[in-house]
Amino acid sequence: MKKLLLLGGSRYLIPVIEKAHELGIYVIKCDYLPDNVAHRYSDEYRNISIIDKDAVLQMARDLKIDGVMSFACDPGVVTAAYVAEKMGLPFQCSHEAARILQDKGLFREFLINHGFNCPHAKRYTDLKEPFNDLDFFNWPVIVKPVDSAGSKGVSRVDTPEELEEAIKIALGESHSQSYIIEDFITFDGFHSSSDPFTVDGDLIFITYSDQLFDKNAENPYTPAYIIWPSSMKDSYQNELTKEIQRLLKLLDVKTGIYNIESCAGIDGKTYIMEVSPRGGGCKIAELQKLAFGIDFIEAEVKKAVGMPVNNIHQSQCTGYWCEMVVHANPGQVGKFNGVYIDPEIESRYVRVIDIQIEKGAYVGPFSGANMALGDIFLEFKTREELDKIMEKSKEWLRIELE
């Protein structure tokens, strides 16, 4: 029986474990939090920090694993690439490529050095150094940790007077105590987050989404709604696809899934914002399976343990889909008692309800993806219908607190 090592323990790993079991694969989970929800679904759990590369490697060698993944888990990606490289196991890219992709500062440097569109950006470790570079940036700016996920620690800063507090917030969410400052991009349309797939370095499946934010949330840069297909102009999508493929060739990637965030600015330029050699959070691969008819989780699990991957192809989105990240409204704090959805909305549009928070658990401000209560997938016949219904989501969905 093949053995698959999964790093992390969030709810997003549950469908990966279930798919691995369907394929007859033994699943070992690893992180430093024994109470994480995904551990109870695995065959075995090891209590080791996933950012301790050598400790994870030693465990992997002792267990004679056949594959390693850090699906929807940013902190473990570099370790997964390291273990795979040392043990000769399949992975999307080399350890060095993963290191570049997972550090927002190094990634911006790579983009600039290879002629990609990139906002003015610099990486820092010191609290005071950016104040020597105030004229380098086009204000407002975004301050973010180089190595966090789920929009944790991200702030928009409009004036230099606000900068120090934003830096402290970013450092508080950084494992490496590093952060970047970059120009704020005003989108032409919406930001995109999706999970493309490569085979032997070729971009076989690519899609774009409209990623919307709740401007009233504690963190207005945490994704709240993701919509397919994207309304992004075809010319922008074509340019991004060409540039993403060029980037992946430069990094000499292999086969696997990626979470890619991109956008077009009002300056008419397209920007590759983030590329991570892993499946995305927010259950993106699961929604893409419904919308595009391809099981990306199955393909990634098979790839990880060396099984043939032969079902990936470019396909078109059927219908209009929205993933709604269920989260508390501003000021809504208390013990969770349930979610109410208007019965007519549920019967007509809702296809999946996945509320993970348990009754009585703490509900707090939507400060990052880790504060989501769950996800709802909805399907519509037209984009106009989708927009009309989702604009009123706070009316037909209610979070009930004790």
Side-chain angles (χ1 to χ4, degrees), residues 133-399:
D133 296 330
L134 295 180
D135 293 337
F136 173 75
F137 301 103
N138 296 310
W139 296 74
V141 298
I142 287 284
V143 181
K144 58 180 90 171
V146 301
D147 51 2
S148 75
S151 302
K152 295 188 291 294
V154 177
S155 304
R156 169 175 161 156
V157 179
D158 293 295
T159 67
E161 290 73 25
E162 302 168 337
L163 188 56
E164 184 170 341
E165 180 61 27
I167 292 171
K168 291 178 180 178
I169 291 171
L171 288 172
E173 296 290 347
S174 174
H175 297 289
S176 63
Q177 291 297 287
S178 304
Y179 62 97
I180 64 166
I181 301 175
E182 64 184 15
D183 295 351
F184 180 85
I185 297 173
T186 301
F187 303 147
D188 182 359
F190 300 99
H191 188 270
S192 170
S193 181
S194 61
D195 282 11
F197 203 98
T198 60
V199 176
D200 295 329
D202 292 327
L203 200 54
I204 300 300
F205 175 86
I206 180 73
T207 183
Y208 300 92
S209 71
D210 287 351
Q211 188 181 70
L212 282 64
F213 306 91
D214 183 346
K215 64 181 180 181
N216 296 315
E218 176 85 2
N219 183 344
Y221 303 106
T222 302
Y225 310 93
I226 310 178
I227 297 168
W228 281 266
S230 174
S231 61
M232 185 187 292
K233 296 174 184 177
D234 288 344
S235 59
Y236 289 153
Q237 293 189 40
N238 293 338
E239 176 67 17
L240 279 168
T241 298
K242 182 181 74 173
E243 288 292 86
I244 290 168
Q245 180 65 86
R246 181 168 78 90
L247 171 67
L248 296 176
K249 288 294 186 181
L250 285 169
L251 291 168
D252 192 27
V253 307
K254 307 303 179 187
T255 296
I257 198 169
Y258 303 79
N259 181 241
I260 298 182
E261 299 195 7
S262 57
C263 69
I266 58 172
D267 57 4
K269 296 179 180 180
T270 58
Y271 296 90
I272 305 170
M273 301 305 294
E274 294 188 22
V275 177
S276 183
R278 58 167 177 83
C282 297
K283 303 172 77 69
I284 289 176
E286 293 170 71
L287 190 141
Q288 287 185 181
K289 178 183 177 182
L290 295 176
F292 294 91
I294 301 172
D295 193 334
F296 298 94
I297 290 177
E298 179 178 276
E300 178 64 6
V301 170
K302 285 183 172 180
K303 182 273 303 187
V305 296
M307 297 171 67
V309 176
N310 50 21
N311 58 346
I312 301 298
H313 58 275
Q314 189 63 53
S315 63
Q316 298 301 310
C317 185
T318 59
Y320 292 80
W321 291 82
C322 179
E323 176 184 355
M324 180 182 187
V325 181
V326 181
H327 62 278
N329 295 323
Q332 193 173 31
V333 175
K335 292 183 178 180
F336 181 71
N337 195 42
V339 170
Y340 169 83
I341 303 174
D342 181 274
E344 182 178 357
I345 296 294
E346 182 172 354
S347 63
R348 291 185 62 183
Y349 304 112
V350 174
R351 300 293 177 264
V352 175
I353 301 174
D354 182 26
I355 302 301
Q356 289 291 323
I357 187 170
E358 297 180 356
K359 188 173 181 178
Y362 170 74
V363 173
F366 192 44
S367 56
N370 60 316
M371 296 304 292
L373 310 184
D375 304 275
I376 297 175
F377 295 173
L378 304 98
E379 182 184 15
F380 303 88
K381 293 181 179 179
T382 66
R383 179 59 185 262
E384 292 73 22
E385 182 181 41
L386 185 155
D387 289 339
K388 179 180 177 181
I389 297 300
M390 297 310 299
E391 283 173 2
K392 298 180 179 179
S393 63
K394 294 187 187 302
E395 298 176 16
W396 52 258
L397 181 140
R398 184 171 66 247
I399 298 168

